[in-house]
Amino acid sequence: MLIPHMVPYASPIYFIILFVTLLPLILSLLIRGKRIGWYQSLITLFFLYISFGGKDYRQGLALIGYVIFQSILVWCYHHYRKNKNQANIFYLAVFLSIVPLILVKVTPFLDGQNSIVGFLGISYLTFKSVQIIMEMRDGMIKEYSPLNYIKFLLFFPTISSGPIDRYRRFEKDLNDPPAPEKYVDLLGSGVHDIFVGFLYKFVIGYYFGQVLLPIVDRMAMHHGGLSWGLVGYMYVYSMYLFFDFAGYSLFAVGTSKLMGYETPPNFNKPFLSWNIKEFWNRWHMTLSFWFRDYIYMRLMFTLIKKKTFKSRIVASNVGYFALFLIMGVWHGLTWYYILYGFYHAALICLTDAWLRFKKKHKKQIPSNKFTHALAIFLTFNAVCLSFLIFSGFLDKLWFHNIFLMR
């Protein structure tokens, strides 16, 4: 009997197979405090096969080619970095590392078809590869194991949509599995994450996405323009996006814990954020921290070092717009993704200006439970508006209605 193609964490059968195959690893960690290395590699290949095989075999081939390419590239740069550290070589290595992702993003825009080098999760694997090259350049990664690098890239619980782990943290867990006493707590936490993930994705997320979203979609399309249906769509889509994605992330983190890896969480009550900067410290955290550490901070260092702008505030604002426009383009070459990035950059710049003003006039500006609740309310609505832009529904609403009027 052939094993069918399955999307990770999308069906009860997937979870049954997952728990059955992980059982030997769990028992080994519980009893011996050790992993069965060859068995982990075996089940990794198995889950990659059911995720990228079958009807998606072209994605599987693209994944194999991608891993070979990145492995050679990172090995070459590590070998070079042992003795030399020219900036041009570093920039070339980073550029070559993101070339496959650029092709995946640009090809549909140019000819309307998906790139043959694309596969589910290519963005997250590219972030991992770029991260390693940058940390090699900084001298943070001195010892490098090609086999550990491949295990890092192909860690199957997180391969399709993150969370985005850090190589040094992952390698520590890989080389030093938790003692049985610690693993008992980790196992309990992993099971808890998975059950909460079920609640988020298959109950709450399903209700918002499959029951309510089509209703408000029809209402908004029927009335056109600004309407209560559009407002309803904004809030319903925001809830669906959070619970669906947070549920998936909990599955990935929980599965990692069952295997003895403390993959970092992706969400921390983001809708309770009191400003937009706090929101990005709570929403899709591994992605936002990756963009902060490997793009924004490096760009700011360059701008300040070269004194491109006299004012640090101006440099910071330019950095924010560059960061979020890159993030928008990464999601896709469409006007609403770019506007989404521009919108968040503007919000953060306004937030910084408000925080500076508040600091200067803290005696005149009240700060209490009411103002804190108001800040959360305003931030929540600002975020929901950004998700309405992100959803692409405005594109459908405006251009669909224009098409019908012709």
Side-chain angles (χ1 to χ4, degrees), residues 114-125:
N114 292 328
S115 172
I116 60 173
V117 301
F119 57 88
L120 182 65
I122 187 173
S123 293
Y124 298 97
L125 267 64

Side-chain angles (χ1 to χ4, degrees), residues 65-323:
Y66 177 90
V67 171
I68 293 172
F69 169 75
Q70 294 287 2
S71 298
I72 294 173
L73 174 64
V74 171
W75 182 86
C76 288
Y77 183 74
H78 178 257
H79 183 73
Y80 165 82
R81 181 63 183 87
K82 287 180 178 179
N83 302 308
K84 298 180 181 179
N85 188 23
Q86 290 186 12
N88 290 338
I89 300 298
F90 165 69
Y91 294 138
L92 177 62
V94 171
F95 174 74
L96 291 176
S97 183
I98 64 175
V99 163
L101 181 59
I102 293 173
L103 292 175
V104 168
K105 297 296 182 180
V106 171
T107 300
F109 181 76
L110 296 177
D111 62 12
Q113 296 182 356
N114 292 328
S115 172
I116 60 173
V117 301
F119 57 88
L120 182 65
I122 187 173
S123 293
Y124 298 97
L125 267 64
T126 300
F127 293 150
K128 288 181 175 182
S129 188
V130 170
Q131 168 208 144
I132 289 176
I133 292 173
M134 288 186 171
E135 292 193 351
M136 284 179 175
R137 203 298 172 91
D138 295 342
M140 299 170 71
I141 297 177
K142 299 183 182 296
E143 299 297 326
Y144 166 70
S145 165
L147 182 58
N148 287 353
Y149 168 74
I150 293 174
K151 291 179 179 179
F152 175 60
L153 280 188
L154 297 180
F155 188 58
F156 77 87
T158 64
I159 190 170
S160 58
S161 296
I164 307 168
D165 207 348
R166 303 295 173 97
Y167 177 74
R168 287 176 294 149
R169 199 219 62 78
F170 175 86
E171 190 175 44
K172 183 178 181 298
D173 281 358
L174 177 67
N175 295 331
D176 300 311
E181 299 79 17
K182 180 180 179 181
Y183 179 67
V184 170
D185 295 333
L186 202 60
L187 179 63
S189 178
V191 172
H192 175 269
D193 287 343
I194 290 173
F195 274 98
V196 175
F198 272 110
L199 173 64
Y200 276 21
K201 185 172 178 65
F202 295 123
V203 179
I204 304 176
Y206 176 87
Y207 184 74
F208 277 110
Q210 303 301 318
V211 178
L212 293 181
L213 198 60
I215 296 174
V216 292
D217 185 307
R218 289 192 297 269
M219 290 175 58
M221 293 300 293
H222 175 72
H223 290 93
L226 296 177
S227 67
W228 287 114
L230 182 61
V231 174
Y233 188 95
M234 178 179 76
Y235 290 118
V236 170
Y237 178 80
S238 298
M239 294 299 101
Y240 161 70
L241 182 64
F242 167 69
F243 284 107
D244 184 77
F245 195 12
Y248 167 85
S249 294
L250 284 169
F251 291 148
V253 171
T255 303
S256 301
K257 290 177 179 177
L258 299 188
M259 299 173 64
Y261 296 85
E262 297 186 67
T263 296
N266 237 358
F267 295 90
N268 179 24
K269 302 176 182 177
F271 292 142
L272 295 180
S273 304
W274 52 90
N275 63 48
I276 204 67
K277 295 184 76 172
E278 182 65 20
F279 170 79
W280 280 107
N281 286 329
R282 293 167 171 258
W283 175 274
H284 205 343
M285 294 184 291
T286 59
L287 176 69
S288 61
F289 294 163
W290 190 96
F291 272 92
R292 178 198 66 190
D293 295 343
Y294 297 105
I295 296 181
Y296 177 76
M297 296 302 294
R298 290 170 183 272
L299 177 60
M300 285 298 298
F301 176 79
T302 300
L303 293 177
I304 292 173
K305 182 181 179 181
K306 295 186 176 181
K307 298 181 180 180
T308 307
F309 302 101
K310 294 181 179 179
S311 170
R312 284 178 175 262
I313 295 175
V314 173
S316 178
N317 290 343
V318 169
Y320 283 134
F321 274 94
L323 172 68

